[in-house]
Amino acid sequence: VPELPEVETVVRDLRPLLVGRRLAAVRRGDKALRRPWCADWEALLRGRVIQAVRRRGKWIVLDLSGDLHLVVHLGMTGQLIVTDAGEPLGDLPPRAFDREEVAPGGKAAARQLRFRDVRRFGSATLFEGTAQLGEFFRAAGLGPEPFTLDPVWWRRRLKATRRCLKAVLLDQRVVAGVGNIYADEALFEAQMHPAPPGNTLPSAAANQLGMAIVTVLNRATRKRGPTIRNYVGGSGLRGGYQEEFRVYGRTGQPCLRCGTPIERLRLAGRSTHYCPSCQRSAVSGQPKADRR
DNA sequence: ACAGGATCCTGGGGGC
DNA sequence: TGCCCCCAGGATCCTG
C-alpha cells in the first residue's frame, strides 16, 4: 500500500540508480496496463536520458531528456524495481509476473528498470512537455505536499467541508500523499476521532492535526527506509512492516498508549482503525506525552 | 456543489 | 487438503 513514505523511499532509492542513465531499450510486458501509457511510448522513451527522479504526492515522476515526463503511480501493488539485465521476471520475489516492463539502463550498467503491478491499480503515463505534466496535476486538483501545508489553507479546507476527518485526510486535493494507513496514524497521533465532520474542528485542533500528519509521515519515511530498500531490491515488503503502526491493522490489539483494544469502523468506504479511549472526539485531549 | 458509493483487479486469508 | 468467498485499496466515475 504505497503512500507518501513508501513512494518517497522508492524515489530516493531509484535516484542514484537512474539519474544520468539512458533508456537503451524499452520493452513492454505481456499484459497491458489498465490505463495505457500513450500511443507510441516505446519510440518516445527509447534513447532518453533520465534527468531526475522525484515525487509528487503518491506519484513518481521521471524527468527525461527532451522535456519528456514519465509519471508512475504504484496503486496498491505497483513496484518500480531495478534489476540486472536479463534477469527473468520469474526469479523476482514475491512472485513471477509478466506485467509491463520498461527497460532502461545502458549496456555499461546492464541494469533494467521494471514496472510491475500485480493488481493493476497502478498507472504509467507519458507527458510531452512540462506544461502537459503540470496540466495533469492541475486537472486532478492535486493538493499541496504535507510538509509545505499552509495552515491557513488547511484550516479553510477543513472548515469548508462536512465530510469526516478521515475522508478529508484521504482527499488528495486537500493534501497529497496520505492514504488509508497514514490517515489513521495521523488521527491517532493527534488523538482525534476519525468521524467528526471537518467543519466542527476548532482552528487549534486543525493545526494540531496538520502537524500530526507531518510527524507521522516523517517518522514512517525514516523508519521504513531500510525495509523498503529490501523491497526495492526485490525481497518483499514484509518483516517489521506492521510493527511501525500504532492503530492501522491492529484491530482488537491493545492501544500502545492506554491499552484499550483498537476498534475498527468503516468511513469513506475505507476501514478505519482508532483507539476508542484516546480518540474520543475531534478536539484532542491533553497533548500526548512525548515518547522519545 | 458536495458527499457517498460503485468500480476496477487479483492474491491472500479466513471459514468450512 | 481444498475450495469458495470476500476483503484490501487509489483514483475515477456515477448517483443522489
Side-chain angles (χ1 to χ4, degrees):
Chain A
V1 190
E3 299 177 27
L4 189 151
E6 291 82 4
V7 176
E8 175 64 27
T9 306
V10 168
V11 163
R12 287 180 188 179
D13 283 352
L14 288 179
R15 194 170 285 140
L17 298 173
L18 294 181
V19 172
R21 304 280 182 187
R22 199 171 66 88
L23 302 182
V26 181
R27 196 154 56 101
R28 185 207 300 262
D30 293 342
K31 303 219 173 180
L33 285 163
R34 201 154 57 91
R35 281 186 288 276
W37 303 60
C38 77
D40 51 352
W41 62 275
E42 283 165 301
L44 276 170
L45 284 174
R46 191 173 300 119
R48 306 276 178 171
V49 175
I50 302 175
Q51 296 177 329
V53 181
R54 55 195 173 98
R55 178 192 61 75
R56 177 75 176 91
K58 300 173 195 171
W59 302 85
I60 297 170
V61 181
L62 273 67
D63 297 307
L64 308 173
S65 55
D67 204 13
L68 205 67
H69 307 272
L70 181 59
V71 175
V72 176
H73 197 296
L74 300 178
M76 277 187 64
T77 54
Q79 301 177 337
L80 267 182
I81 310 172
V82 174
T83 68
D84 289 331
E87 183 176 351
L89 279 173
D91 290 352
L92 290 175
R95 193 166 292 193
F97 295 109
D98 50 348
R99 304 297 184 197
E100 291 66 32
E101 176 177 353
V102 51
K107 286 173 187 167
R111 305 279 278 176
Q112 291 184 342
L113 171 68
R114 292 170 173 184
F115 177 48
R116 300 186 300 152
D117 184 12
V118 180
R119 296 187 191 175
R120 301 171 64 199
F121 266 52
S123 67
T125 319
L126 204 50
F127 294 98
E128 297 179 71
T130 311
Q132 209 179 69
L133 175 68
E135 175 57 29
F136 170 72
F137 287 130
R138 209 146 41 81
L142 192 62
E145 293 290 317
F147 310 107
T148 56
L149 191 60
D150 175 19
V152 176
W153 155 275
W154 173 241
R155 286 198 301 267
R156 188 178 301 153
R157 291 303 299 258
L158 281 167
K159 273 279 189 289
T161 186
R162 303 166 62 94
R163 303 154 78 198
C164 64
L165 294 181
K166 174 65 180 277
V168 177
L169 285 168
L170 289 175
D171 190 342
Q172 301 301 297
R173 296 169 300 180
V174 178
V175 55
V178 179
N180 204 39
I181 294 174
Y182 296 106
D184 286 1
E185 294 297 313
L187 285 163
F188 175 77
E189 180 70 22
Q191 295 180 44
M192 294 175 194
H193 196 281
N199 62 4
T200 63
L201 201 62
S203 293
N207 290 339
Q208 206 173 335
L209 182 54
M211 289 188 290
I213 297 170
V214 172
T215 299
V216 162
L217 292 178
N218 272 330
R219 184 162 57 209
T221 306
R222 279 200 311 271
K223 289 195 173 180
R224 203 72 67 75
T227 312
I228 280 281
R229 190 170 302 276
N230 297 334
Y231 172 70
V232 171
S235 69
L237 187 55
R238 293 297 161 217
Y241 178 70
Q242 299 282 358
E243 293 142 32
E244 303 298 334
F245 304 136
R246 310 279 208 267
V247 286
Y248 183 83
R250 298 194 64 247
T251 309
Q253 297 177 40
C255 169
L256 298 176
R257 185 171 169 273
C258 76
T260 305
I262 300 300
E263 288 185 8
R264 186 166 73 114
L265 57 84
R266 199 148 190 95
L267 283 177
R270 298 285 171 247
S271 65
T272 302
H273 314 73
Y274 71 105
C275 170
S277 175
C278 294
Q279 300 169 258
R280 289 182 184 281
S281 72
V283 187
S284 100
Q286 302 305 312
K288 191 163 110 179
D290 225 44
R291 52 175 73 215
R292 197 166 63 149

